[in-house]
Amino acid sequence: MLALAVVLQTPPPDRSIVAEKMKALSFLVGRWEGVGKIQIAGGPRVSSNITENVQYRLSGQALLIEGLGTVKSEDGKSDQPVHEAMGMITWDLAKEKYVMHVMTAKAGAVEPTVEVGDKTLVWSFITSGGNTIRYTIKINEKGQWVGDGEWTIKCEKWLKFLEMTLDKKGS
């Protein structure tokens, strides 16, 4: 009973710290649209239409990012996804760092490392095959979302497989 009384008297963590830390990612919030180029499994680079929808959730304590890139089917009648991902970023009070949970249609679930800078977000993870995948997002001087996806083996040479330039279309 004493342990329960101690737990019940322990004040909850100050969640306002999380919301404050999350403000550093406000540059991403909105609906973004544009074009990109993607290279899949050593094939040719193809142009794609890309949308990224980024919104705060949970009273500003989490940032939800949903991305979709599509190309026209061979018959031109439908859009086929080539890039489809969803991620959530938050501030971990115990670890005192940003954490991100990502799910992609092709790679499944990953928990990358995250670096947040001045209008930049870099996230990376190691694949089951030992390659490192890195995504860099920054807002350029025109206010556009510029994103690159790269991969490497043992950080010897980074090879770009995805690039995009998006314009903000709404909040």
Side-chain angles (χ1 to χ4, degrees), residues 99-111:
V99 293
M100 185 175 192
H101 304 279
V102 176
M103 181 94 180
T104 71
K106 295 194 179 3
V110 297
E111 293 193 15

Side-chain angles (χ1 to χ4, degrees), residues 28-79:
L28 291 173
V29 173
R31 180 167 174 77
W32 301 82
E33 296 177 5
V35 295
K37 292 188 186 254
I38 189 167
Q39 184 175 16
I40 301 171
R45 286 183 173 255
V46 295
S47 292
S48 62
N49 293 315
I50 299 176
T51 60
E52 296 280 349
N53 189 24
V54 183
Q55 300 297 321
Y56 281 117
R57 295 288 190 252
L58 305 173
S59 300
Q61 296 183 74
L63 189 72
L64 180 64
I65 304 169
E66 297 175 279
L68 178 64
T70 61
V71 296
K72 286 288 184 196
S73 61
E74 287 185 23
D75 63 9
K77 294 182 179 179
S78 64
D79 292 330

